[in-house]
Amino acid sequence: LEDLDREPCDQQAIATLANALEQIGRKRDAATAQLSFSAACGGHAPWLKAAANMLLALSDFTGAVAAATDLIRIEPHEDANYLWRRENARTPIAAAQRCSR
């Protein structure tokens, strides 16, 4: 954290922090750190992708889709980002349909 206080856009420092948080089971905190890093540092696609995947693993579909939307904003020509968002926006609907059967 000290490194990020000194250099808020230090990619190695956020990688270390996010990995450490994930290793101790704090995926939401890791995702939040990655999202904050991206927002503070002008948008950073790798951290947005990682955060979206962590949020998806936590069944936070709304948060994952929001991260994917931010990713599309900074990489509008990357078709895979649109596909990822579309497929994962459907996930809660499919899950709800399975539960109601």
Short mmCIF file of all heavy atoms in Angstrom, two decimals, residues 8-11 34-48 70-71 73-76:
data_model
loop_
_atom_site.label_atom_id
_atom_site.label_comp_id
_atom_site.label_asym_id
_atom_site.label_seq_id
_atom_site.Cartn_x
_atom_site.Cartn_y
_atom_site.Cartn_z
N PRO A 8 0.58 6.27 -7.27
CA PRO A 8 -0.75 5.66 -7.40
C PRO A 8 -0.98 4.87 -8.68
O PRO A 8 -1.89 4.06 -8.75
CB PRO A 8 -1.70 6.85 -7.32
CG PRO A 8 -0.89 8.07 -7.30
CD PRO A 8 0.53 7.70 -7.13
N CYS A 9 -0.16 5.07 -9.71
CA CYS A 9 -0.34 4.34 -10.97
C CYS A 9 0.77 3.32 -11.22
O CYS A 9 1.05 2.96 -12.36
CB CYS A 9 -0.47 5.33 -12.13
SG CYS A 9 -1.98 6.31 -12.02
N ASP A 10 1.37 2.83 -10.15
CA ASP A 10 2.44 1.83 -10.24
C ASP A 10 1.81 0.47 -10.52
O ASP A 10 1.16 -0.13 -9.66
CB ASP A 10 3.23 1.81 -8.93
CG ASP A 10 4.39 0.83 -8.94
OD1 ASP A 10 4.40 -0.11 -9.75
OD2 ASP A 10 5.29 1.02 -8.10
N GLN A 11 1.99 -0.03 -11.74
CA GLN A 11 1.37 -1.28 -12.15
C GLN A 11 1.87 -2.47 -11.34
O GLN A 11 1.09 -3.39 -11.03
CB GLN A 11 1.58 -1.52 -13.64
CG GLN A 11 0.83 -0.51 -14.48
CD GLN A 11 1.01 -0.77 -15.96
OE1 GLN A 11 1.09 -1.91 -16.39
NE2 GLN A 11 1.05 0.29 -16.74
N GLN A 34 -8.38 -3.07 -8.20
CA GLN A 34 -8.10 -3.00 -9.63
C GLN A 34 -8.98 -1.97 -10.33
O GLN A 34 -8.51 -1.22 -11.19
CB GLN A 34 -8.28 -4.38 -10.26
CG GLN A 34 -7.23 -5.36 -9.79
CD GLN A 34 -7.56 -6.78 -10.14
OE1 GLN A 34 -8.72 -7.18 -10.17
NE2 GLN A 34 -6.53 -7.57 -10.42
N LEU A 35 -10.25 -1.93 -9.96
CA LEU A 35 -11.17 -0.94 -10.55
C LEU A 35 -10.74 0.48 -10.18
O LEU A 35 -10.76 1.38 -11.02
CB LEU A 35 -12.60 -1.20 -10.10
CG LEU A 35 -13.24 -2.49 -10.61
CD1 LEU A 35 -14.56 -2.74 -9.91
CD2 LEU A 35 -13.41 -2.46 -12.12
N SER A 36 -10.36 0.67 -8.93
CA SER A 36 -9.91 1.99 -8.47
C SER A 36 -8.63 2.41 -9.19
O SER A 36 -8.49 3.57 -9.60
CB SER A 36 -9.67 1.99 -6.96
OG SER A 36 -10.87 1.73 -6.29
N PHE A 37 -7.72 1.47 -9.36
CA PHE A 37 -6.48 1.75 -10.08
C PHE A 37 -6.80 2.20 -11.50
O PHE A 37 -6.27 3.21 -11.98
CB PHE A 37 -5.60 0.50 -10.11
CG PHE A 37 -4.34 0.66 -10.91
CD1 PHE A 37 -3.19 1.14 -10.32
CD2 PHE A 37 -4.31 0.32 -12.25
CE1 PHE A 37 -2.03 1.31 -11.06
CE2 PHE A 37 -3.15 0.48 -13.00
CZ PHE A 37 -2.01 0.96 -12.40
N SER A 38 -7.66 1.46 -12.17
CA SER A 38 -8.01 1.80 -13.55
C SER A 38 -8.65 3.18 -13.63
O SER A 38 -8.29 3.99 -14.50
CB SER A 38 -8.95 0.75 -14.14
OG SER A 38 -9.28 1.09 -15.47
N ALA A 39 -9.56 3.47 -12.73
CA ALA A 39 -10.24 4.77 -12.73
C ALA A 39 -9.26 5.91 -12.47
O ALA A 39 -9.33 6.96 -13.10
CB ALA A 39 -11.36 4.78 -11.70
N ALA A 40 -8.35 5.71 -11.54
CA ALA A 40 -7.40 6.76 -11.17
C ALA A 40 -6.30 6.96 -12.20
O ALA A 40 -5.71 8.04 -12.28
CB ALA A 40 -6.77 6.43 -9.82
N CYS A 41 -6.05 5.93 -13.00
CA CYS A 41 -4.90 5.97 -13.90
C CYS A 41 -5.30 6.00 -15.37
O CYS A 41 -4.55 5.53 -16.24
CB CYS A 41 -3.98 4.80 -13.60
SG CYS A 41 -3.37 4.85 -11.89
N GLY A 42 -6.48 6.51 -15.66
CA GLY A 42 -6.87 6.72 -17.04
C GLY A 42 -7.39 5.52 -17.78
O GLY A 42 -7.45 5.51 -19.00
N GLY A 43 -7.75 4.49 -17.06
CA GLY A 43 -8.26 3.27 -17.69
C GLY A 43 -7.15 2.30 -17.99
O GLY A 43 -6.17 2.65 -18.65
N HIS A 44 -7.27 1.10 -17.48
CA HIS A 44 -6.24 0.09 -17.67
C HIS A 44 -6.93 -1.24 -17.95
O HIS A 44 -7.49 -1.87 -17.05
CB HIS A 44 -5.36 0.01 -16.43
CG HIS A 44 -4.09 -0.73 -16.66
ND1 HIS A 44 -3.96 -2.05 -16.34
CD2 HIS A 44 -2.91 -0.34 -17.23
CE1 HIS A 44 -2.73 -2.45 -16.67
NE2 HIS A 44 -2.09 -1.44 -17.21
N ALA A 45 -6.90 -1.66 -19.21
CA ALA A 45 -7.65 -2.83 -19.65
C ALA A 45 -7.32 -4.12 -18.89
O ALA A 45 -8.25 -4.82 -18.47
CB ALA A 45 -7.47 -3.04 -21.15
N PRO A 46 -6.06 -4.46 -18.66
CA PRO A 46 -5.79 -5.72 -17.96
C PRO A 46 -6.43 -5.79 -16.57
O PRO A 46 -6.94 -6.83 -16.15
CB PRO A 46 -4.27 -5.77 -17.88
CG PRO A 46 -3.80 -4.94 -19.03
CD PRO A 46 -4.82 -3.83 -19.15
N TRP A 47 -6.42 -4.66 -15.85
CA TRP A 47 -7.00 -4.68 -14.50
C TRP A 47 -8.52 -4.71 -14.56
O TRP A 47 -9.17 -5.33 -13.71
CB TRP A 47 -6.50 -3.51 -13.66
CG TRP A 47 -5.01 -3.58 -13.49
CD1 TRP A 47 -4.11 -2.59 -13.78
CD2 TRP A 47 -4.24 -4.68 -13.05
NE1 TRP A 47 -2.84 -3.03 -13.54
CE2 TRP A 47 -2.88 -4.32 -13.08
CE3 TRP A 47 -4.56 -5.96 -12.62
CZ2 TRP A 47 -1.85 -5.18 -12.71
CZ3 TRP A 47 -3.53 -6.83 -12.25
CH2 TRP A 47 -2.20 -6.42 -12.30
N LEU A 48 -9.11 -4.06 -15.56
CA LEU A 48 -10.56 -4.13 -15.70
C LEU A 48 -11.00 -5.55 -16.03
O LEU A 48 -11.99 -6.05 -15.48
CB LEU A 48 -11.04 -3.17 -16.80
CG LEU A 48 -11.02 -1.69 -16.43
CD1 LEU A 48 -11.32 -0.84 -17.65
CD2 LEU A 48 -12.02 -1.40 -15.32
N ASP A 70 -16.83 -0.39 -18.69
CA ASP A 70 -15.66 0.50 -18.62
C ASP A 70 -14.57 0.04 -19.59
O ASP A 70 -13.91 0.85 -20.23
CB ASP A 70 -15.09 0.55 -17.20
CG ASP A 70 -15.96 1.34 -16.24
OD1 ASP A 70 -16.83 2.09 -16.71
OD2 ASP A 70 -15.74 1.21 -15.02
N LEU A 71 -14.41 -1.27 -19.68
CA LEU A 71 -13.41 -1.83 -20.60
C LEU A 71 -13.75 -1.47 -22.04
O LEU A 71 -12.87 -1.08 -22.81
CB LEU A 71 -13.37 -3.34 -20.41
CG LEU A 71 -12.35 -4.12 -21.21
CD1 LEU A 71 -10.94 -3.62 -20.94
CD2 LEU A 71 -12.47 -5.60 -20.89
N ARG A 73 -15.40 1.09 -22.99
CA ARG A 73 -15.17 2.54 -23.15
C ARG A 73 -13.72 2.83 -23.50
O ARG A 73 -13.44 3.69 -24.33
CB ARG A 73 -15.56 3.26 -21.85
CG ARG A 73 -15.42 4.77 -21.92
CD ARG A 73 -15.77 5.45 -20.60
NE ARG A 73 -15.18 4.84 -19.42
CZ ARG A 73 -13.91 4.98 -19.03
NH1 ARG A 73 -13.07 5.70 -19.74
NH2 ARG A 73 -13.47 4.40 -17.93
N ILE A 74 -12.77 2.08 -22.92
CA ILE A 74 -11.36 2.37 -23.21
C ILE A 74 -10.82 1.55 -24.37
O ILE A 74 -9.79 1.90 -24.93
CB ILE A 74 -10.47 2.21 -21.96
CG1 ILE A 74 -10.42 0.78 -21.46
CG2 ILE A 74 -10.88 3.17 -20.87
CD1 ILE A 74 -9.37 0.54 -20.40
N GLU A 75 -11.51 0.46 -24.72
CA GLU A 75 -11.11 -0.35 -25.88
C GLU A 75 -12.33 -0.60 -26.78
O GLU A 75 -12.80 -1.72 -26.91
CB GLU A 75 -10.55 -1.71 -25.43
CG GLU A 75 -9.22 -1.67 -24.76
CD GLU A 75 -8.68 -3.08 -24.49
OE1 GLU A 75 -9.43 -4.06 -24.50
OE2 GLU A 75 -7.46 -3.17 -24.28
N PRO A 76 -12.84 0.45 -27.41
CA PRO A 76 -14.09 0.31 -28.17
C PRO A 76 -13.97 -0.56 -29.42
O PRO A 76 -14.98 -1.02 -29.95
CB PRO A 76 -14.45 1.74 -28.53
CG PRO A 76 -13.17 2.48 -28.49
CD PRO A 76 -12.35 1.82 -27.43
#
